[in-house]
Amino acid sequence: MPPEHHEGSGGAELPVPMAWMYAEYLADELLRTGDLMEPATLEYRAGRDALALTIFLLDGAVAGALPAARVDELRLLTAYGPQWRRWVCERLRSPVRGCTDSDLALARAAWRWLEETELLAADLEAIGPLPWEPVEGVEEESQVWTPAWQLGLPLGHLAVHLY
């Protein structure tokens, strides 16, 4: 039975966000293949959402397995955080070819989660003195909270390299 009401550009359009769901599926497969993180963690979700956004915003997901050219595009796009962030923001403002309003709503929700959620990261610059250096005062381990996309993007990038 067709739904009584849905938001969309045409009456024949199904409200099922297939392009977004397929991008999420591909991202999930890339991360699971790499076996880098437990799927139940927030870091895994950040990596999946970052990869799904990248796949989705590359003019929608491609059918079938990822071709080598698309894998190379993913590798280049996920390599640098600030450029990737700008690219995502620009692409979310313009309509994505072949996607429904439902697809775009889910992509924007994923981006909001990646931007607004902060995850605890290791502060590699605050590891402390080298073992042979004298320690004057012992400080507690430094904690750095960072937006989820800053942890998810490198995880996604590594998963693409391992694909």
Side-chain angles (χ1 to χ4, degrees):
M1 175 188 310
E4 291 181 25
H5 177 72
H6 64 68
E7 300 296 322
S9 58
E13 179 182 302
L14 290 176
V16 179
M18 291 306 293
W20 175 255
M21 289 171 52
Y22 189 64
E24 262 189 334
Y25 166 77
L26 288 176
D28 195 56
E29 285 299 309
L30 284 168
L31 284 170
R32 285 182 190 271
T33 300
D35 197 26
L36 299 169
M37 187 76 52
E38 286 295 318
T41 63
L42 289 174
E43 291 84 357
Y44 183 90
R45 179 181 174 188
R48 186 198 63 212
D49 284 0
L51 270 178
L53 267 174
T54 308
I55 292 167
F56 176 74
L57 294 173
L58 277 173
D59 295 327
V62 294
L66 284 172
R70 188 55 59 109
V71 172
D72 289 340
E73 281 182 277
L74 287 173
R75 192 174 297 125
L76 288 172
L77 280 170
T78 59
Y80 302 105
Q83 289 88 352
W84 178 83
R85 185 185 180 283
R86 269 186 254 118
W87 179 80
V88 167
C89 290
E90 289 170 7
R91 300 290 287 225
L92 283 175
R93 280 192 289 267
S94 61
V96 178
R97 185 178 56 148
C99 78
T100 65
D101 291 341
S102 300
D103 289 312
L104 201 50
L106 288 174
R108 287 181 175 143
W111 178 241
R112 264 191 316 280
W113 185 85
L114 286 168
E115 278 272 285
E116 296 171 1
T117 303
E118 291 190 342
L119 301 177
L120 186 60
D123 184 1
L124 299 179
E125 293 176 2
I127 289 178
L130 297 173
W132 54 85
E133 292 179 354
V135 178
E136 292 180 21
V138 179
E139 294 182 25
E140 289 186 23
E141 185 178 331
S142 292
Q143 295 182 346
V144 177
W145 291 92
T146 185
W149 73 266
Q150 289 183 349
L151 290 178
L153 188 63
L155 181 63
H157 181 72
L158 185 55
V160 171
H161 267 290
L162 294 174
Y163 179 68

